[in-house]
Amino acid sequence: GHKKYVSTVCEIYEREVMFSGGGDTDILVWDLSTFKCTQCLIGHTEEVLALKEVSSDVLASAGGDRVIKLWDWQSGFVVRSL
């Protein structure tokens, strides 16, 4: 789980996956069929404030670092930072 508080969650229903973000700057990927964390997305330097599904393969995150990141969440890579 997270090392600090959770401030936002987002679910992609058709993929049975949920994301959580918070004060530890990480985005955790949760498999809803097993309720286990399967991946940790690292890239923000301050807390994760918001998460939003862009498509079934792309997740957007906004952080206290004033950066919006678009993630290919399956690979764990940032596609673009805005």
Side-chain angles (χ1 to χ4, degrees):
H2 287 279
K3 297 174 195 84
K4 291 187 176 182
Y5 59 88
V6 174
S7 58
T8 184
V9 295
C10 175
E11 183 176 6
I12 299 179
Y13 297 104
E14 60 270 8
R15 297 287 187 143
E16 292 189 0
V17 67
M18 184 176 73
F19 307 92
S20 60
D24 57 7
T25 74
D26 297 337
I27 299 167
L28 300 185
V29 182
W30 300 90
D31 181 331
L32 293 179
S33 65
T34 63
F35 299 105
K36 293 186 178 181
C37 180
T38 59
Q39 194 172 3
C40 180
L41 307 178
I42 299 171
H44 284 286
T45 58
E46 293 189 26
E47 69 180 311
V48 178
L49 300 172
L51 298 169
K52 175 72 176 157
E53 172 190 357
V54 176
S55 72
S56 62
D57 297 318
V58 178
L59 176 75
S61 64
D65 52 9
R66 300 183 298 178
V67 177
I68 297 169
K69 294 187 178 290
L70 299 177
W71 301 84
D72 175 340
W73 63 268
Q74 292 182 28
S75 70
F77 292 110
V78 174
V79 176
R80 182 170 299 232
S81 293
L82 308 169

